[in-house]
Amino acid sequence: MPTGLFDNHAHMGPKEKIEIAVAKQMTGFPKDPPEAMFRVDRNLEAMDKQGIEHRVLSPPPLLYGYELAANEQPEHCRRINDWIVKETEDDRLFPMGILPLGAPDAISDELDRCVNQLGMHYFAIGTHVGGAHLDKEVPEEVWQKFSSTGVLVMMHPWNQRDTDRLDAYGLENTLGIPIETAVAAARLIGAGVMT
C-alpha cells in the first residue's frame, strides 16, 4: 500500500489528441496547456516540488471521446488507455482509464481488457454522455460490473450544461462544475444505481 502524500486527480494525455480537441473548442481548456499535461517527466518534477509521493494520472475529459460515433469510441478508448498505461510505468504513478460510454455494448469488453491485460484499477467517466444522463445511457449491468470488479470509478464533471446563466465571473467553473456533478450523482442515487 502506498504511503505518503497521494494525489488522486491529475491529467495527462497524448499531445496531438489534446491539441485536436482544443482546436475543436470541445471544452473550456487552456490553449497552451502545461507540459505536464502530456509529459510524464514534468509530472514527476512537479510531484517532487510539491512533496507528492504517488499520483493517479487520467486523460482529461476532453479526451473521453463521447462526441465520437458509437462505432469509433471503443478504438479511441483503447488507444488512450494503452497510452496512459505506457506513460505511467514509473512505480509512483497509477493510470486511470476511460471507457466508451456512448457504445454501451463495448464498455464491459474494454473494462475487462484494462483490468485483466493492462492491470488498471482506476477509471474515469463523465457526468453525462453527449448530454444524455448516466442513469439512462449506461446499462445496469455495467454498474454491476463496476461493483463486482472492484474498480474505483471517478465521475468527472465536463461540459457543464448551464452555460447561458453561468457564462460570466468564472461561474461556469466555480458554480457550474459542482452543480453538474451534484445533479449527475443525485440522478444515480434517485435511479437506484447508487444506494
Side-chain angles (χ1 to χ4, degrees), residues 19-103:
E19 288 174 344
I20 290 169
V22 169
K24 291 180 180 177
Q25 298 179 338
M26 291 175 52
T27 62
F29 206 76
K31 291 182 179 178
D32 296 309
E35 286 188 325
M37 187 64 66
F38 30 80
R39 286 184 52 181
V40 73
D41 59 327
R42 292 289 188 253
N43 259 284
L44 292 168
E45 287 173 11
M47 288 167 64
D48 289 339
K49 287 179 184 175
Q50 297 164 346
I52 296 170
E53 188 168 345
H54 295 91
R55 172 172 278 175
V56 176
L57 283 167
S58 68
L62 76 168
L63 294 185
Y64 289 177
Y66 300 155
E67 79 287 355
L68 300 173
N71 64 336
E72 297 175 343
Q73 288 189 36
E75 181 61 23
H76 168 80
C77 289
R78 185 182 187 94
R79 289 183 179 190
I80 296 293
N81 290 334
D82 288 346
W83 183 90
I84 199 81
V85 165
K86 182 179 178 184
E87 292 296 313
T88 55
E89 289 179 344
D90 188 288
D91 62 6
R92 297 175 61 192
L93 304 174
F94 300 90
M96 179 174 275
I98 58 174
L99 297 164
L101 294 194

Side-chain angles (χ1 to χ4, degrees), residues 26-192:
M26 291 175 52
T27 62
F29 206 76
K31 291 182 179 178
D32 296 309
E35 286 188 325
M37 187 64 66
F38 30 80
R39 286 184 52 181
V40 73
D41 59 327
R42 292 289 188 253
N43 259 284
L44 292 168
E45 287 173 11
M47 288 167 64
D48 289 339
K49 287 179 184 175
Q50 297 164 346
I52 296 170
E53 188 168 345
H54 295 91
R55 172 172 278 175
V56 176
L57 283 167
S58 68
L62 76 168
L63 294 185
Y64 289 177
Y66 300 155
E67 79 287 355
L68 300 173
N71 64 336
E72 297 175 343
Q73 288 189 36
E75 181 61 23
H76 168 80
C77 289
R78 185 182 187 94
R79 289 183 179 190
I80 296 293
N81 290 334
D82 288 346
W83 183 90
I84 199 81
V85 165
K86 182 179 178 184
E87 292 296 313
T88 55
E89 289 179 344
D90 188 288
D91 62 6
R92 297 175 61 192
L93 304 174
F94 300 90
M96 179 174 275
I98 58 174
L99 297 164
L101 294 194
D105 292 341
I107 299 171
S108 287
D109 288 344
E110 182 59 9
L111 178 63
D112 285 339
R113 186 186 80 88
C114 288
V115 170
N116 298 323
Q117 295 181 25
L118 303 180
M120 299 177 88
H121 303 286
Y122 305 102
F123 293 88
I125 61 173
T127 45
H128 61 90
V129 184
H133 300 296
L134 294 178
D135 57 289
K136 302 289 186 185
E137 189 71 11
V138 180
E140 183 180 345
E141 56 266 24
V142 171
W143 299 112
Q144 291 173 350
K145 184 142 193 172
F146 287 158
S147 179
S148 65
T149 308
V151 296
L152 183 144
V153 180
M154 175 183 72
M155 186 175 64
H156 196 298
W158 80 293
N159 276 9
Q160 67 90 4
R161 293 165 282 177
D162 200 9
T163 55
D164 290 344
R165 295 189 302 156
L166 304 176
D167 64 347
Y169 318 117
L171 295 178
E172 185 173 337
N173 199 38
T174 58
L175 189 58
I177 290 301
I179 290 172
E180 177 67 33
T181 305
V183 170
R187 289 188 63 96
L188 291 177
I189 293 168

